[in-house]
Amino acid sequence: MATSISDNYQIKYSEKWGSYLQQEASRLEKYVTVETGLSGKMVAYDQYGLLEFEEKNGRMRPTGLSEAPTSRRVLFPRLFSKAVGFDEFDAKQLANIDLPVSKTVEGLRAAAGRQMDRVMLDAFLGTCYTGEHGTVSVPFAADRVVPHNYTESGTAETSNLTIAKLRRALDMLMQSEAWSEDRRSYGDELVLACSGSQISALLRSQEVTSYDFNTVRALAEGRVDSFLGFRIIRTELLPLDPDSGQRTCLAWVKSKAQFGIWDDFRVKISVRDDLEETLQVRAKFACGATRLQEEAFVKIICKE
């Protein structure tokens, strides 16, 4: 029995569904080479290699023939699906709150974007495949890594992202002819994926000049998206070693980062008669990724 007015206080529920904080779309798809409408159990990307002239010694000598230098990278599809169900009486029992079907579709679309980024990062940072049947593994080249303790001079010291590490990554890409300003004029891009921790580290770096500081501060605030020639993509999906606290960041050349889509994201809403008329919201997609050329990628190890 109520003894005071406060005993009769009621709970008022919102009539709208909110959303958890999340990455809501793929952040990497715009900065890789994308091919859609793929089919088959694998797709091969054949590339023509380098040719070098040989100096002629002597007159009217027999002509020597060389095989055309070719290489191949193979793309395999990874298949994903997710289904969410609502009982036949959920809508009635929710009363004034709508059945969150549209929120479910939004959530599935956001989850697909994040998963596509994971597929790309897994492939770009991990093992790729070559060979006639795609069975020959190609691990990430050990000499394409800027170590956690890289410094341009003096004693090596573990650090987060520094200007020196960015310069080293840029040097490696230029030395291998993976990057030059000519490529930018062709529509290519130099990309760096890092977490918010690395952007903050640049702001704290003693190497940063006042001009650089203003640029990085604008980067942290989302007003610009490039620094030192790199298009900066912030993602929190890059691997972080929990024991060492080291984050693996990645720099690459857009034209050599291949992403393929077998089936783009699609949603089907249907009534499941086999489950007492449960309303099913099901989404699916299929995609894959690979490095086309090792020289176009550089890992940068950063201590957070």
Side-chain angles (χ1 to χ4, degrees):
M1 180 176 179
T3 59
S4 67
I5 190 67
S6 61
D7 292 330
N8 294 282
Y9 286 172
Q10 302 295 308
I11 299 174
K12 173 64 176 176
Y13 293 98
S14 169
E15 295 183 4
K16 294 183 178 180
W17 293 94
S19 298
Y20 268 43
L21 296 173
Q22 59 185 306
Q23 177 185 323
E24 296 180 350
S26 171
R27 292 178 180 167
L28 304 183
E29 189 175 359
K30 293 181 181 179
Y31 306 104
V32 299
T33 300
V34 181
E35 186 172 357
T36 61
L38 300 181
S39 61
K41 66 179 183 179
M42 75 176 200
V43 174
Y45 290 89
D46 294 315
Q47 302 173 88
Y48 199 91
L50 298 178
L51 292 172
E52 297 291 345
F53 275 91
E54 298 173 358
E55 188 171 357
K56 181 177 178 179
N57 296 305
R59 301 178 66 249
M60 293 180 282
R61 296 172 63 88
T63 299
L65 288 177
S66 301
E67 292 284 354
T70 61
S71 63
R72 165 176 289 182
R73 285 297 164 93
V74 173
L75 207 60
F76 292 101
R78 294 177 61 181
L79 317 178
F80 299 94
S81 67
K82 181 72 174 181
V84 178
F86 298 101
D87 187 77
E88 58 183 335
F89 292 112
D90 282 348
K92 286 293 185 181
Q93 296 189 82
L94 283 170
N96 294 331
I97 306 178
D98 291 335
L99 197 67
V101 175
S102 61
K103 280 293 183 184
T104 300
V105 174
E106 289 177 14
L108 289 169
R109 187 178 299 276
R114 294 193 298 274
Q115 188 61 59
M116 289 180 182
D117 281 0
R118 292 189 187 99
V119 168
M120 285 181 257
L121 291 174
D122 287 349
F124 300 158
L125 291 167
T127 299
C128 294
Y129 294 90
T130 185
E132 182 179 358
H133 303 291
T135 55
V136 180
S137 62
V138 184
F140 198 99
D143 62 351
R144 307 297 296 173
V145 179
V146 179
H148 64 93
N149 59 350
Y150 175 80
T151 55
E152 290 176 323
S153 61
T155 305
E157 183 178 358
T158 296
S159 62
N160 205 326
L161 184 61
T162 63
I163 304 297
K165 288 182 178 180
L166 283 176
R167 282 195 292 256
R168 176 56 181 156
L170 182 59
D171 286 346
M172 292 170 70
L173 291 167
M174 290 192 298
Q175 288 170 15
S176 62
E177 293 293 349
W179 181 251
S180 66
E181 284 302 313
D182 291 341
R183 300 198 67 85
R184 194 185 301 278
S185 65
Y186 300 149
D188 213 347
E189 279 192 280
L190 192 58
V191 185
L192 172 72
C194 65
S195 76
S197 174
Q198 282 73 64
I199 295 174
S200 296
L202 287 178
L203 282 170
R204 296 190 299 269
S205 174
Q206 294 181 354
E207 298 176 81
V208 175
T209 67
S210 59
Y211 173 80
D212 289 334
F213 181 85
N214 289 334
T215 302
V216 177
R217 183 173 62 185
L219 175 66
E221 294 172 353
R223 291 187 284 112
V224 299
D225 57 4
S226 60
F227 184 70
L228 203 63
F230 289 95
R231 175 81 70 171
I232 307 293
I233 310 301
R234 185 187 65 80
T235 173
E236 305 304 321
L237 301 178
L238 290 160
L240 175 66
D241 188 319
D243 297 323
S244 66
Q246 294 177 3
R247 175 88 66 180
T248 302
C249 300
L250 184 68
W252 70 85
V253 177
K254 177 180 177 179
S255 62
K256 299 303 180 182
Q258 185 68 49
F259 180 60
I261 298 176
W262 273 253
D263 278 302
D264 209 345
F265 174 81
R266 63 183 67 185
V267 177
K268 181 180 180 181
I269 301 175
S270 58
V271 176
R272 293 284 303 274
D273 290 330
D274 61 322
L275 297 175
E276 296 183 326
E277 297 185 3
T278 291
L279 183 67
Q280 176 180 283
V281 183
R282 185 174 185 270
K284 62 181 180 179
F285 65 95
C287 63
T290 188
R291 299 185 302 272
L292 291 180
Q293 211 171 320
E294 297 305 295
E295 294 79 5
F297 293 80
V298 176
K299 286 182 182 179
I300 306 176
I301 311 301
C302 300
K303 170 70 174 179
E304 294 195 351

